[in-house]
Amino acid sequence: QEHAYPADELMPLTCRGRVRGQEPSRGDVDDALGKFSLTLIDTLDTLVVLNKTKEFEEAVKKVIKDVNLDNDIVVSVFETNIRVLGGLLGGHSVAIMLKEKGEYMQWYNGELLHMAKELGYKLLPAFNTTSGLPYPRVNLKFGVRHPEARTGTETDTCTACAGTLILEFAALSRFTGTSIFEEYARKALDFIWEKRQRSSNLVGVTINIHTGDWVRKDSGVGAGIDSYYEYLLKAYVLLGDDSFLERFNTHYDAIMRYISQPPLLLDVHIHKPMLNARTWMDSLLAFFPGLQVLKGDIRPAIETHEMLYQVIKKHNFLPEAFTTDFRVHWAQHPLRPEFAESTYFLYKATGDPYYLEVGKTLIENLNKYARVPCGFAAMKDVRTGSHEDRMDSFFLAEMFKYLYLLFADKEDMIFDIEDYIFTTEAHLLPLWLSTTNQTISKKNTTTEYTELDDSNFDWTCPNTQILFPNDPMFAQSIREPLKNVVDKSCPRGISRVEEGLGSGPKPPLRARDFMASNPEHLEILKKMGVSLIHLKDGRVQLVQHAVQAASSLDAEDGLRFMQEMIELSSQQQKEQQLPPRAVQIVSHPFFGRVVLTAGPAQFGMDLSKHKAGTRGFVATIKPYNGCSEITNPEAVKEKIALMQRGQCMFAEKARNIQKAGAIGGIVIDDNEGSSSDTAPLFQMAGDGKNTDDITIPMLFLFNKEGNIILDAIREYEAVEVLLSDKAKDRATIFKGKMIPNYIIDSNLEMENMDQKLSENDSHRQNSEEATSASQDVGAVSEEPEEGENSDLTDPDSLSPAHADSESVSISNQDSYVPGTDEASAPEPACTQGDHQPQEQKTETESNSKINWDNKVQPMESILADWNEDIEAFEMMEKDEL
């Protein structure tokens, strides 16, 4: 009020208000600002929770008098809904409660509700899509499609953005009797539900608002999805519609099956939910323990909350993102309230005073590190303690509210908080709305629910009272194994020197010694609460559940083991990163024009040290998986063996084909449709043993690239390939080899044509035309010198872009170390006309079977054929051969 009003937010370092357009743009973050005194509206019901009723009354009068909702400004539909519409509805809810009590707000006549309805109508144009999913932004004055709207061209929105509307919109409909708001919000939720991935029951992060296609197919409980799950459960609580509970339970089962790896919550792929999509977590998932409390699933809530608290104790605040080994990934902290929210709900559920100590730590850190003369400043970097001139409205709307409620006794409150449900912005909506103005018929539109014999599907309202009155040590017993999870001293690897000194008990199993085929090791893992999951792609994933360990000490050993394994895997990836290799088809009719991006192996011949590579005809082995003795060695001898991935280690396949006399090997992925242009390139790892006995080169092709070779075999039978560190030009490929006669004939004829054309041109063209023609012919017959750019696929075009995700899964069968690079789409190694047209002519000659010994074509015909070849190779590029 003193430094910022009527601006949307306070800038606590410069002690002034943030007005959109007057400050440097912060991108999407500024979409929350609409020149409607955001922080004031967002904080209205917080004032009543804090028993600041006089201040609340004055604030409501200011909102009614000063706030204009008809601004020509583009705002986020999601942020405006949860902060402004939710703030107006929360303010209205507590205003009518105070009016009923008879002391305050006697003058109030629903003004905040009228403003909420006005704002609701301003948001409705965003829903003008075929799917019912709203556009992510709307112009408060002109809507979406209006020429002056400056929005409406977007195609994507986040799942939470479209799925976090039902509480505010339904409350607006119930308060006003106008059903259209609830109808629109329900339609959006119905569409997301229908578009869920049916086999995993997960949803992606980003969806196309017109087609319903998933744009980002990773799934978690953090940014982009979080409040979608929250609103399904809370919509059931507020509206009493069973379909919302069924949907939430279906999603929750999938979350606990795939995403929850206690105490971690890791994003996965919706189509391959056993594969982690990233190795870091964002801070928004800190709300999830609170939602689990509302659900009634206390144990995992305690585990995840404790892990988050350990991160906070290490960095004073929760970083925006942190890795699975608890290092800072994104260092900012904009004073987010989600952890305080979960702390409040866990205290309500358990009555454990430990959570009061957690709350005390939060308050002390805020006062010590974030408080500045004009407010509380966001942390720019939790590692250095530097500030950002920012104090988002949710800090006062949520953080203050939850921390006050955490410590408040019942007599400190002027109303019963149990009569309300919190929105995702912590605004208060009265539960009596469930029986008011039910304009929407309760028909169950949810179909195809997962049939599970699971307590997730209990049809009961969550118990808001203390769940464990007779066991105050319950929460502590769950937290105990996790108390050192982030501590610098544990888990960490013990050096060999420390082992030699015998300091402390030795761990039962070290990550570097682990063998997945050793039964004793598997038994030790089971005792430590570590389980193995065999993935469909052949890998094995290690997952640790502290509560399944034999004892708290075993749980700590398990956590230490997992930490060592993550570090070991990361170190191996960094140490053993190899660039991609090339498989070049050199036989007729390809002649080196087709180059396939291949994954390298960490064993066998190092192709980077053998510049000539390995060349030979390919042969399919029997058995095709190469996991036992080769039964057709006569077909494989002195050839490059083709085999399928799966059922055994890569090194075992290599040894079997080497024994059969193969000079190299190509492993083809058994994952149908996999391709180097969509999947991260990876390296084939060894089997943990000495692989010096493997001397032949081994390369890996994804399914799409492998099928190119298999199709070539079916059509041409004899297919010769070159395995190398990078694609070779054809002068190098055919050096020292018998060059096909038609290539020689072609070159001779081209030279003859060069001479004849020059003679003819000197008689019938002027000097300028003759010079031009001479240059053209020179280009036709010119062979690039070694080292010149012949426009073949070179190392740069093969070098993949950096991948934005890496796997932390540990390999077993067909073990591989995922590369940190993602291969670019394979490109044809074709030589374009302005460099080596005579070789392009070779393919045309071969295909059309022209006898160059008996026929000489005029120049016009040559140029016409040349242009046809260029068009053909351009088409090949489009086909990504």
Side-chain angles (χ1 to χ4, degrees), residues 539-604:
R539 295 179 302 155
V540 167
Q541 187 178 50
L542 297 176
V543 180
Q544 206 252 358
H545 297 274
V547 295
Q548 296 178 3
S551 67
S552 60
L553 291 177
D554 290 317
E556 289 192 20
D557 286 335
L559 287 169
R560 184 183 294 109
F561 174 82
M562 292 295 289
Q563 178 68 17
E564 287 184 5
M565 189 62 78
I566 291 171
E567 292 176 354
L568 181 63
S569 176
S570 176
Q571 181 181 357
Q572 287 177 343
Q573 289 181 38
K574 292 176 182 177
E575 291 176 352
Q576 301 179 2
Q577 285 174 11
L578 298 174
R581 305 303 188 201
V583 175
Q584 196 166 3
I585 307 179
V586 299
S587 56
H588 167 81
F590 306 97
F591 303 117
R593 292 187 177 96
V594 175
V595 179
L596 307 174
T597 302
Q602 295 175 0
F603 52 85

Side-chain angles (χ1 to χ4, degrees), residues 98-160:
L98 291 173
K99 185 175 181 179
E100 288 176 1
K101 290 182 176 293
E103 184 176 354
Y104 297 100
M105 303 298 294
Q106 296 305 301
W107 55 270
Y108 182 71
N109 195 29
E111 288 84 354
L112 293 179
L113 182 59
H114 298 321
M115 295 180 68
K117 188 174 182 180
E118 177 189 356
L119 181 59
Y121 278 119
K122 289 185 175 296
L123 295 178
L124 286 186
F127 292 83
N128 187 21
T129 62
T130 55
S131 66
L133 300 177
Y135 283 94
R137 298 174 185 83
V138 67
N139 187 298
L140 290 177
K141 190 177 185 69
F142 297 109
V144 172
R145 293 293 184 87
H146 192 279
E148 299 180 68
R150 305 186 306 282
T151 188
T153 59
E154 303 92 343
T155 59
D156 307 334
T157 191
C158 71
T159 301

Side-chain angles (χ1 to χ4, degrees), residues 2 28 122 175 230 289 514 588 643-644 693 698 775:
E2 180 181 349
D28 293 346
K122 289 185 175 296
F175 272 130
E230 177 186 2
F514 171 67
H588 167 81
M643 68 212 79
Q644 189 177 49
D693 59 312
M698 292 289 291
Q775 290 172 347

Side-chain angles (χ1 to χ4, degrees), residues 269-530:
H269 298 279
I270 59 175
H271 297 290
K272 295 183 178 180
M274 301 305 293
L275 290 178
N276 291 331
R278 58 174 60 98
T279 57
W280 50 269
M281 296 164 280
D282 66 75
S283 62
L284 286 171
L285 62 76
F287 92 100
F288 197 67
L291 186 63
Q292 290 179 305
V293 171
L294 192 61
K295 156 71 180 168
D297 198 2
I298 306 297
R299 180 182 292 272
I302 293 172
E303 291 176 334
T304 299
H305 180 274
E306 181 62 21
M307 176 270 293
L308 295 171
Y309 183 46
Q310 298 300 325
V311 175
I312 288 174
K313 288 203 293 186
K314 181 176 181 179
H315 300 293
N316 298 321
F317 297 98
L318 197 60
E320 275 291 77
F322 54 94
T323 63
T324 52
D325 55 352
F326 311 111
R327 289 175 293 184
V328 173
H329 187 67
W330 296 335
Q332 308 96 315
H333 174 72
L335 307 182
R336 293 200 185 277
E338 285 77 16
F339 182 77
E341 173 186 358
S342 290
T343 303
Y344 164 69
F345 281 114
L346 273 170
Y347 178 66
K348 293 286 289 184
T350 64
D352 190 335
Y354 174 82
Y355 296 108
L356 297 179
E357 292 298 322
V358 174
K360 180 182 177 183
T361 300
L362 296 182
I363 294 173
E364 289 175 345
N365 288 348
L366 284 171
N367 285 322
K368 185 175 181 180
Y369 302 108
R371 191 158 196 164
V372 293
C374 293
F376 291 83
M379 307 304 296
K380 189 174 183 179
D381 192 320
V382 298
R383 296 164 298 191
T384 63
S386 57
H387 289 123
E388 190 175 353
D389 199 5
R390 170 184 180 184
M391 192 180 86
D392 291 86
S393 66
F394 54 67
F395 178 66
L396 297 180
E398 299 183 72
M399 182 73 86
F400 271 40
K401 192 176 293 172
Y402 285 124
L403 289 178
Y404 180 83
L405 289 172
L406 176 63
F407 292 98
D409 294 324
K410 197 167 186 178
E411 53 271 19
D412 296 326
M413 302 291 296
I414 61 175
F415 65 99
D416 190 352
I417 198 71
E418 301 293 343
D419 291 338
Y420 297 82
I421 192 168
F422 292 102
T423 69
T424 194
E425 192 76 3
H427 293 306
L428 302 174
L429 298 177
L431 294 175
W432 52 257
L433 286 175
S434 61
T435 58
T436 303
N437 290 327
Q438 297 183 30
T439 55
I440 306 295
S441 59
K442 285 187 184 179
K443 61 178 182 179
N444 193 333
T445 59
T446 305
T447 56
E448 299 181 30
Y449 291 108
T450 306
E451 293 296 331
L452 294 172
D453 181 18
D454 191 277
S455 60
N456 288 332
F457 288 76
D458 289 345
W459 287 51
T460 57
C461 287
N463 184 357
T464 58
Q465 305 302 316
I466 296 176
L467 299 180
F468 309 99
N470 299 321
D471 187 6
M473 299 298 291
F474 176 84
Q476 182 179 343
S477 65
I478 298 174
R479 290 192 304 266
E480 189 64 26
L482 303 169
K483 66 180 181 179
N484 293 321
V485 68
V486 184
D487 194 303
K488 292 180 180 178
S489 63
C490 177
R492 66 180 179 88
I494 301 174
S495 68
R496 295 187 182 275
V497 175
E498 290 174 327
E499 286 180 351
L501 295 175
S503 55
K506 293 183 179 180
L509 179 62
R510 303 301 304 276
R512 62 173 177 264
D513 302 324
F514 171 67
M515 291 291 294
S517 58
N518 188 323
E520 293 181 5
H521 289 183
L522 298 180
E523 191 61 33
I524 294 173
L525 291 189
K526 184 177 180 181
K527 186 179 179 183
M528 295 190 299
V530 179

Side-chain angles (χ1 to χ4, degrees), residues 642-661:
L642 295 179
M643 68 212 79
Q644 189 177 49
R645 176 187 181 186
Q647 301 185 31
C648 66
M649 310 286 276
F650 287 123
E652 184 177 345
K653 297 175 189 287
R655 291 188 178 98
N656 287 334
I657 64 170
Q658 181 174 282
K659 183 179 179 182

